[in-house]
PDB file of all heavy atoms in Angstrom:
ATOM      1  N   ALA A 117      -4.479  10.046  -6.836  1.00  0.00           N
ATOM      2  CA  ALA A 117      -3.733   9.608  -8.020  1.00  0.00           C
ATOM      3  C   ALA A 117      -2.247   9.942  -7.869  1.00  0.00           C
ATOM      4  O   ALA A 117      -1.371   9.130  -8.230  1.00  0.00           O
ATOM      5  CB  ALA A 117      -4.300  10.276  -9.266  1.00  0.00           C
ATOM      6  N   GLU A 118      -1.951  11.127  -7.332  1.00  0.00           N
ATOM      7  CA  GLU A 118      -0.557  11.504  -7.132  1.00  0.00           C
ATOM      8  C   GLU A 118       0.115  10.593  -6.109  1.00  0.00           C
ATOM      9  O   GLU A 118       1.262  10.161  -6.285  1.00  0.00           O
ATOM     10  CB  GLU A 118      -0.477  12.963  -6.663  1.00  0.00           C
ATOM     11  CG  GLU A 118      -0.873  13.973  -7.734  1.00  0.00           C
ATOM     12  CD  GLU A 118      -0.870  15.393  -7.203  1.00  0.00           C
ATOM     13  OE1 GLU A 118      -0.501  15.578  -6.018  1.00  0.00           O
ATOM     14  OE2 GLU A 118      -1.226  16.318  -7.952  1.00  0.00           O
ATOM     15  N   ARG A 119      -0.617  10.284  -5.044  1.00  0.00           N
ATOM     16  CA  ARG A 119      -0.036   9.436  -3.999  1.00  0.00           C
ATOM     17  C   ARG A 119       0.123   7.999  -4.490  1.00  0.00           C
ATOM     18  O   ARG A 119       1.063   7.309  -4.094  1.00  0.00           O
ATOM     19  CB  ARG A 119      -0.914   9.481  -2.747  1.00  0.00           C
ATOM     20  CG  ARG A 119      -0.960  10.865  -2.121  1.00  0.00           C
ATOM     21  CD  ARG A 119      -1.633  10.874  -0.781  1.00  0.00           C
ATOM     22  NE  ARG A 119      -1.666  12.222  -0.230  1.00  0.00           N
ATOM     23  CZ  ARG A 119      -1.968  12.502   1.029  1.00  0.00           C
ATOM     24  NH1 ARG A 119      -2.266  11.529   1.880  1.00  0.00           N
ATOM     25  NH2 ARG A 119      -1.980  13.738   1.454  1.00  0.00           N
ATOM     26  N   LYS A 120      -0.790   7.560  -5.336  1.00  0.00           N
ATOM     27  CA  LYS A 120      -0.653   6.229  -5.906  1.00  0.00           C
ATOM     28  C   LYS A 120       0.599   6.155  -6.774  1.00  0.00           C
ATOM     29  O   LYS A 120       1.379   5.181  -6.693  1.00  0.00           O
ATOM     30  CB  LYS A 120      -1.888   5.878  -6.737  1.00  0.00           C
ATOM     31  CG  LYS A 120      -1.799   4.501  -7.392  1.00  0.00           C
ATOM     32  CD  LYS A 120      -3.046   4.192  -8.208  1.00  0.00           C
ATOM     33  CE  LYS A 120      -2.921   2.825  -8.870  1.00  0.00           C
ATOM     34  NZ  LYS A 120      -4.119   2.494  -9.695  1.00  0.00           N
ATOM     35  N   ALA A 121       0.810   7.173  -7.596  1.00  0.00           N
ATOM     36  CA  ALA A 121       1.996   7.198  -8.453  1.00  0.00           C
ATOM     37  C   ALA A 121       3.269   7.223  -7.612  1.00  0.00           C
ATOM     38  O   ALA A 121       4.252   6.540  -7.929  1.00  0.00           O
ATOM     39  CB  ALA A 121       1.938   8.415  -9.379  1.00  0.00           C
ATOM     40  N   ASP A 122       3.250   7.990  -6.531  1.00  0.00           N
ATOM     41  CA  ASP A 122       4.410   8.052  -5.644  1.00  0.00           C
ATOM     42  C   ASP A 122       4.663   6.694  -4.990  1.00  0.00           C
ATOM     43  O   ASP A 122       5.811   6.258  -4.878  1.00  0.00           O
ATOM     44  CB  ASP A 122       4.185   9.118  -4.570  1.00  0.00           C
ATOM     45  CG  ASP A 122       5.288   9.140  -3.539  1.00  0.00           C
ATOM     46  OD1 ASP A 122       6.429   9.492  -3.902  1.00  0.00           O
ATOM     47  OD2 ASP A 122       5.021   8.777  -2.376  1.00  0.00           O
ATOM     48  N   ALA A 123       3.586   6.007  -4.572  1.00  0.00           N
ATOM     49  CA  ALA A 123       3.734   4.695  -3.939  1.00  0.00           C
ATOM     50  C   ALA A 123       4.304   3.674  -4.915  1.00  0.00           C
ATOM     51  O   ALA A 123       5.161   2.855  -4.553  1.00  0.00           O
ATOM     52  CB  ALA A 123       2.385   4.221  -3.400  1.00  0.00           C
ATOM     53  N   GLU A 124       3.826   3.702  -6.153  1.00  0.00           N
ATOM     54  CA  GLU A 124       4.336   2.771  -7.155  1.00  0.00           C
ATOM     55  C   GLU A 124       5.827   2.996  -7.403  1.00  0.00           C
ATOM     56  O   GLU A 124       6.609   2.044  -7.512  1.00  0.00           O
ATOM     57  CB  GLU A 124       3.551   2.934  -8.461  1.00  0.00           C
ATOM     58  CG  GLU A 124       2.110   2.430  -8.363  1.00  0.00           C
ATOM     59  CD  GLU A 124       1.298   2.761  -9.590  1.00  0.00           C
ATOM     60  OE1 GLU A 124       1.691   3.692 -10.328  1.00  0.00           O
ATOM     61  OE2 GLU A 124       0.258   2.108  -9.809  1.00  0.00           O
ATOM     62  N   LYS A 125       6.231   4.255  -7.493  1.00  0.00           N
ATOM     63  CA  LYS A 125       7.636   4.581  -7.706  1.00  0.00           C
ATOM     64  C   LYS A 125       8.480   4.171  -6.501  1.00  0.00           C
ATOM     65  O   LYS A 125       9.578   3.600  -6.649  1.00  0.00           O
ATOM     66  CB  LYS A 125       7.778   6.085  -7.972  1.00  0.00           C
ATOM     67  CG  LYS A 125       9.210   6.531  -8.218  1.00  0.00           C
ATOM     68  CD  LYS A 125       9.268   8.034  -8.481  1.00  0.00           C
ATOM     69  CE  LYS A 125      10.710   8.493  -8.685  1.00  0.00           C
ATOM     70  NZ  LYS A 125      10.774   9.965  -8.933  1.00  0.00           N
ATOM     71  N   PHE A 126       7.969   4.448  -5.287  1.00  0.00           N
ATOM     72  CA  PHE A 126       8.682   4.110  -4.059  1.00  0.00           C
ATOM     73  C   PHE A 126       8.896   2.601  -3.972  1.00  0.00           C
ATOM     74  O   PHE A 126       9.980   2.127  -3.611  1.00  0.00           O
ATOM     75  CB  PHE A 126       7.875   4.598  -2.849  1.00  0.00           C
ATOM     76  CG  PHE A 126       8.591   4.483  -1.534  1.00  0.00           C
ATOM     77  CD1 PHE A 126       9.372   5.517  -1.058  1.00  0.00           C
ATOM     78  CD2 PHE A 126       8.462   3.342  -0.757  1.00  0.00           C
ATOM     79  CE1 PHE A 126      10.026   5.422   0.154  1.00  0.00           C
ATOM     80  CE2 PHE A 126       9.099   3.231   0.464  1.00  0.00           C
ATOM     81  CZ  PHE A 126       9.895   4.281   0.931  1.00  0.00           C
ATOM     82  N   PHE A 127       7.863   1.837  -4.334  1.00  0.00           N
ATOM     83  CA  PHE A 127       7.974   0.383  -4.269  1.00  0.00           C
ATOM     84  C   PHE A 127       8.980  -0.130  -5.290  1.00  0.00           C
ATOM     85  O   PHE A 127       9.823  -0.988  -4.979  1.00  0.00           O
ATOM     86  CB  PHE A 127       6.604  -0.266  -4.511  1.00  0.00           C
ATOM     87  CG  PHE A 127       6.629  -1.757  -4.385  1.00  0.00           C
ATOM     88  CD1 PHE A 127       6.653  -2.368  -3.137  1.00  0.00           C
ATOM     89  CD2 PHE A 127       6.632  -2.569  -5.511  1.00  0.00           C
ATOM     90  CE1 PHE A 127       6.691  -3.746  -3.008  1.00  0.00           C
ATOM     91  CE2 PHE A 127       6.673  -3.951  -5.396  1.00  0.00           C
ATOM     92  CZ  PHE A 127       6.702  -4.543  -4.139  1.00  0.00           C
ATOM     93  N   ARG A 128       8.882   0.393  -6.479  1.00  0.00           N
ATOM     94  CA  ARG A 128       9.749  -0.091  -7.558  1.00  0.00           C
ATOM     95  C   ARG A 128      11.216   0.280  -7.295  1.00  0.00           C
ATOM     96  O   ARG A 128      12.117  -0.548  -7.504  1.00  0.00           O
ATOM     97  CB  ARG A 128       9.283   0.513  -8.884  1.00  0.00           C
ATOM     98  CG  ARG A 128      10.021  -0.013 -10.103  1.00  0.00           C
ATOM     99  CD  ARG A 128       9.393   0.502 -11.396  1.00  0.00           C
ATOM    100  NE  ARG A 128       9.477   1.968 -11.506  1.00  0.00           N
ATOM    101  CZ  ARG A 128       8.453   2.795 -11.304  1.00  0.00           C
ATOM    102  NH1 ARG A 128       7.257   2.317 -10.985  1.00  0.00           N
ATOM    103  NH2 ARG A 128       8.609   4.100 -11.436  1.00  0.00           N
ATOM    104  N   LYS A 129      11.463   1.504  -6.843  1.00  0.00           N
ATOM    105  CA  LYS A 129      12.829   1.992  -6.698  1.00  0.00           C
ATOM    106  C   LYS A 129      13.489   1.574  -5.383  1.00  0.00           C
ATOM    107  O   LYS A 129      14.727   1.394  -5.343  1.00  0.00           O
ATOM    108  CB  LYS A 129      12.843   3.524  -6.792  1.00  0.00           C
ATOM    109  CG  LYS A 129      12.385   4.073  -8.131  1.00  0.00           C
ATOM    110  CD  LYS A 129      13.405   3.812  -9.227  1.00  0.00           C
ATOM    111  CE  LYS A 129      13.017   4.526 -10.513  1.00  0.00           C
ATOM    112  NZ  LYS A 129      14.008   4.255 -11.603  1.00  0.00           N
ATOM    113  N   ARG A 130      12.701   1.406  -4.313  1.00  0.00           N
ATOM    114  CA  ARG A 130      13.314   1.220  -3.001  1.00  0.00           C
ATOM    115  C   ARG A 130      12.897  -0.083  -2.317  1.00  0.00           C
ATOM    116  O   ARG A 130      13.747  -0.808  -1.794  1.00  0.00           O
ATOM    117  CB  ARG A 130      12.980   2.415  -2.106  1.00  0.00           C
ATOM    118  CG  ARG A 130      13.345   3.763  -2.749  1.00  0.00           C
ATOM    119  CD  ARG A 130      13.368   4.876  -1.738  1.00  0.00           C
ATOM    120  NE  ARG A 130      14.414   4.678  -0.751  1.00  0.00           N
ATOM    121  CZ  ARG A 130      14.606   5.484   0.308  1.00  0.00           C
ATOM    122  NH1 ARG A 130      13.811   6.531   0.485  1.00  0.00           N
ATOM    123  NH2 ARG A 130      15.562   5.244   1.172  1.00  0.00           N
ATOM    124  N   VAL A 131      11.575  -0.388  -2.296  1.00  0.00           N
ATOM    125  CA  VAL A 131      11.117  -1.569  -1.558  1.00  0.00           C
ATOM    126  C   VAL A 131      11.491  -2.858  -2.279  1.00  0.00           C
ATOM    127  O   VAL A 131      11.955  -3.822  -1.656  1.00  0.00           O
ATOM    128  CB  VAL A 131       9.588  -1.508  -1.324  1.00  0.00           C
ATOM    129  CG1 VAL A 131       9.118  -2.746  -0.568  1.00  0.00           C
ATOM    130  CG2 VAL A 131       9.228  -0.250  -0.549  1.00  0.00           C
ATOM    131  N   THR A 132      11.322  -2.884  -3.605  1.00  0.00           N
ATOM    132  CA  THR A 132      11.650  -4.094  -4.362  1.00  0.00           C
ATOM    133  C   THR A 132      13.120  -4.492  -4.199  1.00  0.00           C
ATOM    134  O   THR A 132      13.414  -5.667  -3.914  1.00  0.00           O
ATOM    135  CB  THR A 132      11.296  -3.916  -5.845  1.00  0.00           C
ATOM    136  OG1 THR A 132       9.893  -3.712  -5.968  1.00  0.00           O
ATOM    137  CG2 THR A 132      11.689  -5.150  -6.639  1.00  0.00           C
ATOM    138  N   PRO A 133      14.075  -3.563  -4.347  1.00  0.00           N
ATOM    139  CA  PRO A 133      15.477  -3.943  -4.112  1.00  0.00           C
ATOM    140  C   PRO A 133      15.725  -4.436  -2.684  1.00  0.00           C
ATOM    141  O   PRO A 133      16.523  -5.352  -2.471  1.00  0.00           O
ATOM    142  CB  PRO A 133      16.251  -2.647  -4.393  1.00  0.00           C
ATOM    143  CG  PRO A 133      15.365  -1.867  -5.307  1.00  0.00           C
ATOM    144  CD  PRO A 133      13.979  -2.177  -4.871  1.00  0.00           C
ATOM    145  N   PHE A 134      15.040  -3.823  -1.706  1.00  0.00           N
ATOM    146  CA  PHE A 134      15.187  -4.248  -0.312  1.00  0.00           C
ATOM    147  C   PHE A 134      14.752  -5.706  -0.151  1.00  0.00           C
ATOM    148  O   PHE A 134      15.454  -6.520   0.468  1.00  0.00           O
ATOM    149  CB  PHE A 134      14.361  -3.328   0.592  1.00  0.00           C
ATOM    150  CG  PHE A 134      14.453  -3.656   2.059  1.00  0.00           C
ATOM    151  CD1 PHE A 134      15.353  -2.993   2.866  1.00  0.00           C
ATOM    152  CD2 PHE A 134      13.633  -4.614   2.635  1.00  0.00           C
ATOM    153  CE1 PHE A 134      15.448  -3.279   4.227  1.00  0.00           C
ATOM    154  CE2 PHE A 134      13.709  -4.914   3.981  1.00  0.00           C
ATOM    155  CZ  PHE A 134      14.625  -4.243   4.778  1.00  0.00           C
ATOM    156  N   ILE A 135      13.577  -6.038  -0.697  1.00  0.00           N
ATOM    157  CA  ILE A 135      13.048  -7.404  -0.577  1.00  0.00           C
ATOM    158  C   ILE A 135      13.965  -8.406  -1.272  1.00  0.00           C
ATOM    159  O   ILE A 135      14.265  -9.481  -0.726  1.00  0.00           O
ATOM    160  CB  ILE A 135      11.628  -7.476  -1.157  1.00  0.00           C
ATOM    161  CG1 ILE A 135      10.657  -6.661  -0.289  1.00  0.00           C
ATOM    162  CG2 ILE A 135      11.154  -8.925  -1.248  1.00  0.00           C
ATOM    163  CD1 ILE A 135       9.275  -6.536  -0.869  1.00  0.00           C
ATOM    164  N   LYS A 136      14.425  -8.060  -2.452  1.00  0.00           N
ATOM    165  CA  LYS A 136      15.289  -8.980  -3.192  1.00  0.00           C
ATOM    166  C   LYS A 136      16.621  -9.190  -2.479  1.00  0.00           C
ATOM    167  O   LYS A 136      17.190 -10.290  -2.519  1.00  0.00           O
ATOM    168  CB  LYS A 136      15.512  -8.441  -4.604  1.00  0.00           C
ATOM    169  CG  LYS A 136      14.275  -8.530  -5.492  1.00  0.00           C
ATOM    170  CD  LYS A 136      14.568  -8.012  -6.894  1.00  0.00           C
ATOM    171  CE  LYS A 136      13.350  -8.178  -7.805  1.00  0.00           C
ATOM    172  NZ  LYS A 136      13.617  -7.669  -9.186  1.00  0.00           N
ATOM    173  N   THR A 137      17.098  -8.155  -1.821  1.00  0.00           N
ATOM    174  CA  THR A 137      18.397  -8.252  -1.142  1.00  0.00           C
ATOM    175  C   THR A 137      18.309  -8.988   0.187  1.00  0.00           C
ATOM    176  O   THR A 137      19.158  -9.834   0.487  1.00  0.00           O
ATOM    177  CB  THR A 137      18.976  -6.840  -0.898  1.00  0.00           C
ATOM    178  OG1 THR A 137      19.100  -6.168  -2.149  1.00  0.00           O
ATOM    179  CG2 THR A 137      20.335  -6.923  -0.203  1.00  0.00           C
ATOM    180  N   TYR A 138      17.253  -8.682   0.980  1.00  0.00           N
ATOM    181  CA  TYR A 138      17.243  -9.172   2.355  1.00  0.00           C
ATOM    182  C   TYR A 138      16.159 -10.220   2.667  1.00  0.00           C
ATOM    183  O   TYR A 138      16.213 -10.830   3.731  1.00  0.00           O
ATOM    184  CB  TYR A 138      17.051  -7.981   3.318  1.00  0.00           C
ATOM    185  CG  TYR A 138      18.125  -6.942   3.213  1.00  0.00           C
ATOM    186  CD1 TYR A 138      17.838  -5.676   2.697  1.00  0.00           C
ATOM    187  CD2 TYR A 138      19.429  -7.209   3.628  1.00  0.00           C
ATOM    188  CE1 TYR A 138      18.826  -4.698   2.598  1.00  0.00           C
ATOM    189  CE2 TYR A 138      20.424  -6.240   3.537  1.00  0.00           C
ATOM    190  CZ  TYR A 138      20.108  -4.986   3.019  1.00  0.00           C
ATOM    191  OH  TYR A 138      21.099  -4.036   2.933  1.00  0.00           O
ATOM    192  N   CYS A 139      15.202 -10.418   1.773  1.00  0.00           N
ATOM    193  CA  CYS A 139      14.040 -11.247   2.129  1.00  0.00           C
ATOM    194  C   CYS A 139      13.848 -12.474   1.247  1.00  0.00           C
ATOM    195  O   CYS A 139      13.440 -13.536   1.727  1.00  0.00           O
ATOM    196  CB  CYS A 139      12.759 -10.406   2.092  1.00  0.00           C
ATOM    197  SG  CYS A 139      12.842  -8.863   3.023  1.00  0.00           S
ATOM    198  N   LEU A 140      14.072 -12.325  -0.044  1.00  0.00           N
ATOM    199  CA  LEU A 140      13.643 -13.362  -0.989  1.00  0.00           C
ATOM    200  C   LEU A 140      14.377 -14.686  -0.824  1.00  0.00           C
ATOM    201  O   LEU A 140      13.854 -15.726  -1.209  1.00  0.00           O
ATOM    202  CB  LEU A 140      13.811 -12.875  -2.433  1.00  0.00           C
ATOM    203  CG  LEU A 140      12.618 -12.180  -3.072  1.00  0.00           C
ATOM    204  CD1 LEU A 140      12.837 -12.039  -4.564  1.00  0.00           C
ATOM    205  CD2 LEU A 140      11.310 -12.925  -2.818  1.00  0.00           C
ATOM    206  N   GLU A 141      15.572 -14.667  -0.264  1.00  0.00           N
ATOM    207  CA  GLU A 141      16.308 -15.925  -0.133  1.00  0.00           C
ATOM    208  C   GLU A 141      15.499 -16.952   0.657  1.00  0.00           C
ATOM    209  O   GLU A 141      15.529 -18.145   0.362  1.00  0.00           O
ATOM    210  CB  GLU A 141      17.655 -15.683   0.551  1.00  0.00           C
ATOM    211  CG  GLU A 141      18.497 -16.957   0.657  1.00  0.00           C
ATOM    212  CD  GLU A 141      19.892 -16.688   1.200  1.00  0.00           C
ATOM    213  OE1 GLU A 141      20.320 -15.514   1.202  1.00  0.00           O
ATOM    214  OE2 GLU A 141      20.555 -17.656   1.615  1.00  0.00           O
ATOM    215  N   CYS A 142      14.753 -16.483   1.652  1.00  0.00           N
ATOM    216  CA  CYS A 142      13.914 -17.392   2.452  1.00  0.00           C
ATOM    217  C   CYS A 142      12.429 -17.263   2.119  1.00  0.00           C
ATOM    218  O   CYS A 142      11.689 -18.241   2.205  1.00  0.00           O
ATOM    219  CB  CYS A 142      14.106 -17.114   3.943  1.00  0.00           C
ATOM    220  SG  CYS A 142      15.771 -17.422   4.556  1.00  0.00           S
ATOM    221  N   HIS A 143      11.986 -16.058   1.757  1.00  0.00           N
ATOM    222  CA  HIS A 143      10.550 -15.781   1.609  1.00  0.00           C
ATOM    223  C   HIS A 143      10.167 -15.703   0.131  1.00  0.00           C
ATOM    224  O   HIS A 143       9.919 -14.629  -0.401  1.00  0.00           O
ATOM    225  CB  HIS A 143      10.187 -14.479   2.323  1.00  0.00           C
ATOM    226  CG  HIS A 143      10.440 -14.513   3.795  1.00  0.00           C
ATOM    227  ND1 HIS A 143       9.589 -15.107   4.689  1.00  0.00           N
ATOM    228  CD2 HIS A 143      11.485 -14.034   4.525  1.00  0.00           C
ATOM    229  CE1 HIS A 143      10.077 -14.980   5.917  1.00  0.00           C
ATOM    230  NE2 HIS A 143      11.228 -14.343   5.851  1.00  0.00           N
TER     231      HIS A 143
END
């Protein structure tokens, strides 16, 4: 449960901005 919460936070705070900045224009 702790690792799931950490993964959700990591995705929301770091991975999502990365995808929107570098990936979504094509993907």
Side-chain angles (χ1 to χ4, degrees):
E118 291 176 3
R119 296 189 181 193
K120 179 180 179 181
D122 174 67
E124 290 172 339
K125 180 180 178 180
F126 188 90
F127 183 77
R128 185 173 63 256
K129 297 289 188 181
R130 307 196 65 184
V131 179
T132 298
F134 181 95
I135 293 173
K136 289 181 177 180
T137 302
Y138 300 112
C139 309
L140 269 192
E141 183 174 344
C142 297
H143 298 280

